[in-house]
Structure formats: C-alpha cells, structure tokens
Amino acid sequence: MEGKAKSHAVGKDEALSAIPMDKRQHWVTPAMIFGGLEFTIPVLMVGATLAGAFGMSQIFWILLISLFVVQWIGNAVAGYIGAKTGRSSSVIARTSFGAAQARFIVGITIFIVSLGWWALQTAVAGNAISAMLGIDYENQFGPWALVTIVVGLLFAIPSIIGYGSMKWTDYFAVPAGLLLIAGGIFYALQNTGIDTIMAWRPEPSMTFLAALSLVIGINVSQWVIASDYTRYAKPKVKDNVLIPLGIVAVGFPLFYVGAIMSVGVGDADIVNVMMNLGFPVWGFLILWFATWTSQLVNNYSMGLAMANIFNVNSNKGRAILTFIGTIIAIIIALAGILEYFMDFLYMTALIYPAIAGIMMADFFFIRKQQWVDNQGWNWMATIAMVFGVLVGYFTQYVYTFGLPAVQSLIAAGIVYFVAMKVKAAVKPDHFTVPVESSKEQGVNEKTELV
Ligand SMILES: Nc1ncnc2[nH]cnc12
C-alpha cells in the first residue's frame, strides 16, 4: 500500500538530467506521494511493538521526537538536495561516491533492504492466510510453509513480468489498507475498550532511545531516497521543509493505530494481534491485499538492483534475476525473518545513514550545492561509509548509546569531509577538484558539470 515512485531510486534507464523548472510542482503533490511510502503494514507492526513496552502517552513522545524532530530534519535536508539538483538519489550519489561505486553501493543497499522488506511482508501475509485457513502458523510448519511459498510466488509474478503489469495494485491495496485500519480501530474500541487502552502501562522492556531507533529504522531509507520525490518540487527551503509533512501525517496516526490494536498483546505479530481482537476472516484477506503495492515495488526494486549490479540490460535477464531474488527471499521468510524484525530495522538504520551523511556533506560542504557527474570510484566515500557503519554498529550493539542512525550519519559526514580535504592536499583527483575551478578550466573528462 505504498506509492510507486520508489522505483525511481533504482531505475537503470534513469535520465541523468534534472527535472526542468517548469515541471516542478506545488509542494503538496510530492508531499502526498512521499506520504504514500509510510502507508505500510510494518508501520502498524512497529506501533504494536511499542505498545509492548510503553503506554499511550509515552508512545506520543516517542513518535513526536522520532518523526517530528529526527526524521523530519533528515528528510528535509535530503529532500532539499533533490529539489536543488532535480535528480534522483542514485544519480546524486554519483557526485560523492563516483558513478561506479554509486551503482554498486546503492545497488547492494537497495537489493538487501528490498529483499528484507519483501521477505518480512511475505512471512506476515503467509501468517495471515494461514490464520484464515485455520492453520496454526506457530506450530504447523509444513502447511504454513506451503501457504507462504504460494503467497510469495503470487506476490512476485507481476513484478517478474514487468513494471507495466503492476499499475493496478494501488486500486485495491489502498482501500484494503484503509479498511484494515478502520477495522483495527473499531475492534480495538469494541473489544479492548478506550479505558483499558488509556490505562495500559506495560513493563518497559525497551529503552526510550531504542524505541526512537525502531521508528527511525523504518523510515531511515528516506534520508537517501527523499530526493526521488522532491526532484519534482521547487528548490525552495520552505517547500522542502513542508514536504516531509506527508510522512509525518501518515506515520503518526498509523503507528498509533498499531499500538492501540495491540494493547494486551504487545508484539510485532500483527496477525496474532488481529486474532486477539477477533477480526473476522475477511480481515486476514485484506491484510494480504494491503501489502500488494509495497510488495511489488520491493520485489521489482530488488530485481532491478541486481540487474544494475551485474550490468544486465535485457528484460529477460532482469526477470530471471528477480525470480532468483524471490526464491532467496522466500527461503529467508521460511527461515523465520519475522523473529528478527527489530534487528532488520536496526540493520537498515546502520546502512542508510552513512550513505546519507556522505551525500549531504558532499553537497553542502564540498560541492557548494552543485551536482557533478563524477565517474569512477571515490575511495574517500568508501572509507567514510565504513566508518559511519562501524560507529552505528558500535553504538547500537557494543556500547549502546544515543541514536545510532544519527551518530552514523554525522560520523560518515565528518570523516568524508576531512578525508576529502586531506586527499585534495596530498593527492588531488577529479573528485577533489573544487567546483569553481572545474567550471573555469573546462570540465575534466572524468567529471561532467551540469
Ligand atoms: N520498502 C518497504 N516495504 C515495506 N514496508 C516498509 N516500510 C518502510 N519501507 C518499507
């Protein structure tokens, strides 16, 4: 149930040129399309997880800080770069990472994360359809696995055929999602009751900061891909500050609905939450429908990312790679990825921020807000990325501290900036050439200024 524009992030035939100024839209349009990204079942699942550890008023503060402060700032900065350059995230990454590395790093990141999301949602849909058929998905592995394989293959068929066959999914995924939410609120009020919901005070099984990290983890890819939406927006600070409102306006209520639904259960297993609320059979069917759009986008992105990495240009090659990715993802779903839902979110919060930090430092502090098409591989970006991921990992798992995603972004940005300055002084190359001089001297053949 998410917008389709995400595929811009991986479009291999994607134009390098900027969206012309006369095609730029009022900020409300990109805000609405961007907001569609937040309309997914995992948002309900994180809301449900939060209700396992916090009462409703604490959840309010968690959402306020994670969405309105941390997420909004990151999205606005990333979005501003998109509007200024008019280009998509994978094209913007060419300036700092170099074209070869941008293709590789962005490709691998999109591949891993789309595959993970796809496997997760397939496992959830497998549970939902099993529940509908009366199969105990916790204990009857065989029948559950069969249902999950069938559900997964059905999800994958249209994206293997191609993007053209995927257009229709929003027509039933969005109404199904809305019905699910309405049903969730209705059954929670009817069966749990407003008094119980408001009085809910579980034992805190996670820290406030860990909760912020979960919400950030589900949204963090936006710090890289916001430009895929804002490249259609006007390059004004005001517009780009307002566009992330779309994410917050959808996310805030949706996380809350997930939390309200799961009072008394309090875990990410949304199917279990629905069974607990006494959802009728149709509820499990609409959960499946509600994931269609995001599943197709994830599946398609995964295949396209593989095609980019392996330089496969034919549609048949892309289809075969998508099928191979699908099989791997089904195996991961059967292996129990749902148990690692939170770890998956923490993992995405380690990968994306480092990439975002490098792109932001490059754009604002090295390149003076210019996009440059740099060929090759910038090792300074590689070093900064590894450093950023390590800082995130260390502060997430070894010495738990602060908000790992934010620390990773800042660390990668600083290391990149310093490494570029040192490189410029010691052994300059086309990446370190100041923008002004490359304009004056004519463009070096490895660099293209647009
Ligand atoms: N790609 C994605 N698929 C499903 N849910 C998501 N939540 C955030 N990104 C998502």
Side-chain angles (χ1 to χ4, degrees):
M1 47 177 189
E2 77 182 8
K4 295 189 189 92
K6 191 177 164 209
S7 59
H8 290 298
V10 286
K12 70 176 165 190
D13 48 358
E14 180 170 62
L16 293 182
S17 51
I19 299 291
M21 281 302 158
D22 60 348
K23 297 240 165 61
R24 303 297 180 100
Q25 300 155 331
H26 190 272
W27 68 267
V28 171
T29 310
M32 280 170 61
I33 301 173
F34 197 23
L37 260 193
E38 196 73 0
F39 195 51
T40 64
I41 301 288
V43 172
L44 291 176
M45 290 164 64
V46 167
T49 310
L50 293 179
F54 303 98
M56 293 303 133
S57 57
Q58 283 166 304
I59 293 178
F60 175 86
W61 290 108
I62 291 165
L63 295 179
L64 192 83
I65 297 172
S66 54
L67 291 176
F68 275 91
V69 182
V70 185
Q71 194 60 39
W72 197 320
I73 295 174
N75 283 7
V77 175
Y80 181 75
I81 301 178
K84 268 292 218 198
T85 59
R87 292 174 168 91
S88 66
S89 50
S90 49
V91 174
I92 294 168
R94 294 164 76 104
T95 310
S96 47
F97 284 88
Q101 183 174 209
R103 202 175 78 186
F104 185 72
I105 298 268
V106 176
I108 296 236
T109 303
I110 292 172
F111 173 70
I112 295 175
V113 178
S114 330
L115 188 141
W117 279 122
W118 191 88
L120 265 169
Q121 295 202 128
T122 297
V124 174
N127 288 355
I129 301 300
S130 295
M132 198 179 99
L133 299 175
I135 297 166
D136 174 3
Y137 61 83
E138 304 256 31
N139 298 310
Q140 291 178 275
F141 182 80
W144 169 77
L146 189 66
V147 169
T148 305
I149 292 170
V150 172
V151 163
L153 291 176
L154 283 175
F155 271 142
I157 290 169
S159 40
I160 291 173
I161 297 172
Y163 203 75
S165 71
M166 295 163 46
K167 289 192 188 117
W168 42 270
T169 52
D170 268 347
Y171 294 115
F172 56 91
V174 173
L178 291 172
L179 208 58
L180 188 73
I181 291 160
I185 298 171
F186 175 78
Y187 288 110
L189 291 177
Q190 195 184 48
N191 299 351
T192 319
I194 186 81
D195 296 339
T196 314
I197 292 170
M198 294 319 288
W200 175 244
R201 298 270 178 284
E203 272 301 302
S205 51
M206 115 181 33
T207 64
F208 193 81
L209 285 172
L212 293 182
S213 284
L214 278 187
V215 178
I216 294 170
I218 219 169
N219 290 304
V220 77
S221 61
Q222 295 156 17
W223 290 349
V224 174
I225 64 166
S227 45
D228 301 341
Y229 302 86
T230 56
R231 60 193 292 235
Y232 298 95
K234 301 197 175 84
K236 291 187 197 157
V237 172
K238 187 197 107 199
D239 286 31
N240 290 284
V241 166
L242 288 171
I243 287 171
L245 191 62
I247 292 286
V248 176
V250 177
F252 203 91
L254 209 55
F255 280 109
Y256 243 118
V257 172
I260 289 168
M261 281 170 73
S262 95
V263 162
V265 180
D267 70 30
D269 186 344
I270 195 76
V271 175
N272 188 25
V273 166
M274 288 169 65
M275 289 197 294
N276 197 55
L277 283 180
F279 255 87
V281 164
W282 57 261
F284 301 97
L285 201 60
I286 60 167
L287 181 132
W288 186 40
F289 285 149
T291 54
W292 266 98
T293 308
S294 55
Q295 277 304 70
L296 292 187
V297 173
N298 285 332
N299 200 253
Y300 187 73
S301 304
M302 172 175 92
L304 211 49
M306 271 168 111
N308 270 334
I309 296 165
F310 297 118
N311 221 359
V312 169
N313 288 314
S314 68
N315 189 43
K316 188 167 166 221
R318 181 203 57 78
I320 293 171
L321 288 173
T322 308
F323 182 68
I324 294 171
T326 301
I327 300 298
I328 299 173
I330 288 181
I331 293 170
I332 291 177
L334 295 180
I337 191 175
L338 217 47
E339 309 248 332
Y340 300 96
F341 178 52
M342 300 223 266
D343 287 307
F344 174 73
L345 293 181
Y346 293 138
M347 183 200 75
T348 60
L350 292 185
I351 308 182
Y352 279 105
I355 300 177
I358 292 163
M359 286 164 66
M360 289 173 185
D362 184 82
F363 185 75
F364 290 103
F365 303 118
I366 304 269
R367 228 61 66 172
K368 312 260 168 24
Q369 306 197 14
Q370 295 265 0
W371 179 80
V372 184
D373 189 12
N374 282 325
Q375 301 302 308
W377 187 294
N378 184 9
W379 285 101
M380 302 307 109
T382 318
I383 293 169
M385 177 157 173
V386 170
F387 194 86
V389 171
L390 285 178
V391 166
Y393 181 84
F394 190 78
T395 56
Q396 176 67 53
Y397 292 109
V398 184
Y399 177 69
T400 308
F401 164 80
L403 293 173
V406 176
Q407 284 135 213
S408 173
L409 183 147
I410 294 172
I414 292 176
V415 169
Y416 178 75
F417 180 79
V418 173
M420 287 295 280
K421 290 292 167 199
V422 173
K423 182 92 188 359
V426 177
K427 198 166 179 281
D429 63 5
H430 65 287
F431 286 105
T432 60
V433 166
V435 174
E436 294 76 20
S437 67
S438 59
K439 256 193 229 159
E440 282 156 17
Q441 292 161 10
V443 177
N444 158 345
E445 73 199 20
K446 291 186 172 171
T447 302
E448 210 172 293
L449 237 163
V450 179

